[in-house]
Amino acid sequence: MSGTYINTPFVITNNQTEYLESQIWVSFAGTFTNTGTDQTIGPNVITDFTSTWRSFNLADLLAPVPNLPYFGNTAQYTFSLNGFSGRVYINYGPTALTQAPNPGDPGTSPYIVFEPTVDGETLPAPTPTASNMDLSYVDGVSAPAATMVSNATSGAALLATSVNPVTSAIDILSNVKDLVPSGATVSNGSKTVRIKSSAADPSAYHNWTSLMTTLQSTTATNPLNVCSYTSPSTGIPPSYALSGALFGYSGGLVYTPQVPGFDQAQSYNTTATFTTKLNPNNDPVLTGVGITNGTPGVVISGTGSVSGAFSIYITQANLNAGTGIYGNNPPYSVAYTVSGTETAYSTTGIENDLGGRVVGDLMAGMVFGWSASSVNIDAHANATNTNLYGTTFSSPTVGGLMTGELFFLLSLAGAQGTLNDWIGSALDSNTDHYDQYLYAIALNSEAYGSGFTDRLQGYSNPDTYWYTANPPVIPGGGGNYETVGFVNLYLGTVTTAAMAILLTNNDTSQNLTLISSELTGSSSSSELDLPQTIPAGSTAGGYSTQSSKTPYQAKWTYSPDNGKTLLGFECNLSGQSGITIIPSKTGPEADNWELSESPSLEGGIWVVRFFYSPN
């Protein structure tokens, strides 16, 4: 290969205390690209680009981390990549994994899955090169873990194009165990070593017959709306990266057979009706693809703006199969008419085209708890302190939403740290009406609990993206993303640092009055004590948030004119060094003010001075 490649260093931080270093194993399952620039695992340069599995004891990864002032000369558990796609497994026990485990029968070794895709090629400006990774509990959950992309000098968490950091609760294993069926538990003697996911072992979880019976009744008169949606282009904070975002189909593959135009990006408007008879009129074209009279299932009918009218049929048996709703890969049949002639064909699973997108939308909505939900959106937003930013939805209830709107709403809630208020039991009290495992993971981590979380966008997407060169501009202003210094993979939990707050009003003529303040997510406190007034030309100090076992968010707003103009800061803290600060200003005097901050990590505490300055 040719070109210039920049490495991304990875550092493994061992914050768990149950297993010794000799009982921790790191395995790389994936493809290394020979870029011509050295890549390393610990002190060893990768020279074999044919192996797709290689394992090491954690101690084998101990080496200096070059070009990272944050670590100095102290060796770390590290590897450095510029061309890799696959998984990094970390397992605990006497021996390393020797191959990718079967998620449905993972044995007695607890293991954690990180999924990096690293592309370090430097492209001509202004084109950025993006790499990404996620912490995945899609197979199941064995132990707490976390990820963070960080600054090379300070170690502070960097703003990324999705959640950063991604953490999990210290007691995630026991918490998830309490929320899912007992058959999902894998034990080694009396010790629980893993909870299998619904995708890994659907037979351990409820089937969907109860929900589909309910939907056969309700959708006869009120079909589910499986439709694309583009979020409002204004009014949503730039930090959420959701203004004008497409929740729909953006193009895919051409294959045979296929509805003409199914590969092209387009909007779509379809409805889903569950029935006990998919082919009541004995249509011979449908019979020819196995959709016979008396077959229960769902028909999704409507139009694509390019492809025109079509219908998709999925049998109840295929929805209930492990590859169906849980696995998001059911076989289905597609029917359409060209020049007056009806045509139909079947797939063996989801194809990367419009039909596949529509089917996936329906499956995703069902696992989130949308399909039979009667929850009133505005009332629930008020109850959960979720800001809808004036968005007008097509239905007052969640179940009446278009799927694209649902995924936007979940993304909006996720960006505010309230995703678990909008899925699972929060939408439907019947545990047979949603994916219990997905919900349990969401209560305990921002990580992937299901492949359906790909429907979430902006800063709610569990994938964390970073840039090795030419980082793009932050949406809505605020400069450019930083290029990543290193990626930290945490084993165990990450205690979130405390924050000491100093508030400086640089305007010598106007006082600032506190309008609101809140602290959410902290395990230490539920209140944020700030001064009612910051006098003109003064600094107020002695205010703080305590360290927490969980990530937390501190938000406050001051005003120079009794609430007409709002000057706010949103501080998101996660882990020992993770902090993101988002200023905001609205109202008649907003343009007369500049908001800024100066954070420094001192003795494990974030000391942050916040400035309110006149233009």
Side-chain angles (χ1 to χ4, degrees), residues 229-246:
Y229 176 74
T230 300
S231 66
S233 57
T234 59
I236 305 169
S239 59
Y240 293 175
L242 291 172
S243 293
L246 171 67

Side-chain angles (χ1 to χ4, degrees), residues 519-538:
L519 183 66
T520 57
S522 173
S523 64
S524 302
S525 177
S526 60
E527 296 182 354
L528 178 61
D529 180 30
L530 291 176
Q532 292 300 308
T533 302
I534 311 175
S538 71

Side-chain angles (χ1 to χ4, degrees), residues 18 92 97 110 164 184 203 248 252 276 296 332 367 370 473 478 496 529 615:
E18 184 174 356
Y92 301 130
L97 295 171
N164 181 39
S203 64
T276 57
Y332 54 90
V367 300
W370 150 82
V473 175
T496 301
D529 180 30
N615 276 342

